[in-house]
Amino acid sequence: MTVTIKDVLRLPSMRGAVLLTDSAGLAKPVTAVSVLEYSDPTPMQKDLSNKIKYLGDELVLTAFASVANDVAAQCANVRQMAHYGDTGMILFYVGLLMPKVDPQLIETANAVGYVLIMMPPKDKSLAYSSVISDIMQEVFLDRINNPVFAIDMLKRVTKLPDTLHSVDTILRMLSDRLHCSIALLDRDYQLLQSAAWPAERQEDWDRFAAAEQQHQPITDDRIIDWETVSDTKQWGMI
């Protein structure tokens, strides 16, 4: 099982929210939540986005405060988020910060297969934190109740944009799902690809590989596991 947009819309914090895009979006998966704070599509925003390692299937929360009256900029953000494999966007404070949801924004989202959800307009009591807590609790419970995830993972990968079809993306998805750091090495213990958890962590894979190659104990307080997946490649997990 995977948490979907349909599941999200049933959460208590989403009461009164409206799906603005095609109903096909109800089946789209949601695995994480993020906040779009800087929505002005400048070269700086593009540079920041390129530095982020996206996992796909994120649901983005925003009020489009910095581009509240710039529909073209809002559309540019939707196209960019869809390009990185995000599931969709929840719009806050419509009628307060963002005057309205322009039909062009909805058309753009539908064209790129992106979900748009609008929270109740003109509601000053809305809080990002309530929505984030509810969604992530749902994701956490789903992972606890459904520990076998291989089929869902394969489905997620096939639906990602072509730009995310890579070993790097799969390792990062596995790392995020298992809450561990993973590395793929060749038969000579040369690092091919890796994914750290948390994502900001810097792992010394060369040290681990050297210790394993020399049959020496690894001085680390975490669990280290090495598995041979073929006669030419190995992967390490922490």
Side-chain angles (χ1 to χ4, degrees):
M1 296 293 291
T2 300
V3 176
T4 65
I5 291 293
K6 186 175 182 179
D7 298 321
V8 167
L9 287 171
R10 291 173 175 169
L11 296 173
S13 61
M14 297 294 292
R15 187 175 291 111
V18 177
L19 178 68
L20 300 177
T21 43
D22 294 342
S23 59
L26 291 171
K28 285 185 171 291
V30 177
T31 60
V33 184
S34 61
V35 176
L36 178 62
E37 181 180 12
Y38 181 40
S39 51
D40 192 9
T42 63
M44 175 58 76
Q45 189 209 44
K46 183 178 181 181
D47 185 53
L48 290 172
S49 296
N50 289 337
K51 294 294 190 297
I52 297 173
K53 293 186 176 181
Y54 290 88
L55 295 174
D57 298 334
E58 286 189 5
L59 199 52
V60 180
L61 278 53
T62 189
F64 275 140
S66 62
V67 291
N69 297 290
D70 190 341
V71 177
Q74 295 167 14
C75 292
N77 275 273
V78 163
R79 285 190 290 268
Q80 178 169 280
M81 295 298 110
H83 171 75
Y84 288 120
D86 283 353
T87 291
M89 181 177 286
I90 301 178
L91 300 171
F92 281 72
Y93 310 125
V94 176
L96 296 173
L97 297 178
M98 183 180 176
K100 66 175 184 177
V101 179
D102 193 282
Q104 186 180 343
L105 182 63
I106 299 175
E107 291 174 9
T108 299
N110 278 325
V112 295
Y114 194 71
V115 172
L116 279 185
I117 298 171
M118 180 179 67
M119 295 297 283
K122 299 182 180 179
D123 189 344
K124 297 180 181 179
S125 68
L126 298 175
Y128 284 14
S129 57
S130 298
V131 173
I132 292 171
S133 296
D134 268 6
I135 295 176
M136 291 314 299
Q137 180 182 33
E138 195 78 359
V139 171
F140 175 75
L141 291 175
D142 176 70
R143 291 181 175 182
I144 292 295
N145 295 325
N146 300 284
V148 180
F149 60 90
I151 299 300
D152 282 342
M153 184 72 72
L154 288 173
K155 289 180 179 178
R156 283 183 58 195
V157 172
T158 58
K159 293 178 180 178
L160 288 173
D162 291 343
T163 54
L164 293 181
H165 286 179
S166 65
V167 174
D168 177 58
T169 298
I170 293 175
L171 283 187
R172 286 190 282 112
M173 290 172 67
L174 286 171
S175 176
D176 178 69
R177 183 63 173 77
L178 298 172
H179 285 190
C180 67
S181 296
I182 303 175
L184 182 68
L185 301 95
D186 64 18
R187 64 188 303 173
D188 297 318
Y189 293 89
Q190 298 300 307
L191 181 65
L192 300 176
Q193 196 61 259
S194 66
W197 188 86
E200 298 77 18
R201 190 181 186 98
Q202 299 295 320
E203 300 287 6
D204 190 353
W205 294 112
D206 290 338
R207 178 171 69 89
F208 298 143
E212 173 68 14
Q213 190 174 21
Q214 298 167 18
H215 304 290
Q216 296 178 350
I218 298 175
T219 56
D220 197 285
D221 59 357
R222 295 170 293 162
I223 298 174
I224 312 291
D225 183 36
W226 292 84
E227 298 287 344
T228 300
V229 295
S230 74
D231 61 346
T232 58
K233 294 182 175 65
Q234 297 181 329
W235 59 272
M237 181 185 298
I238 295 181

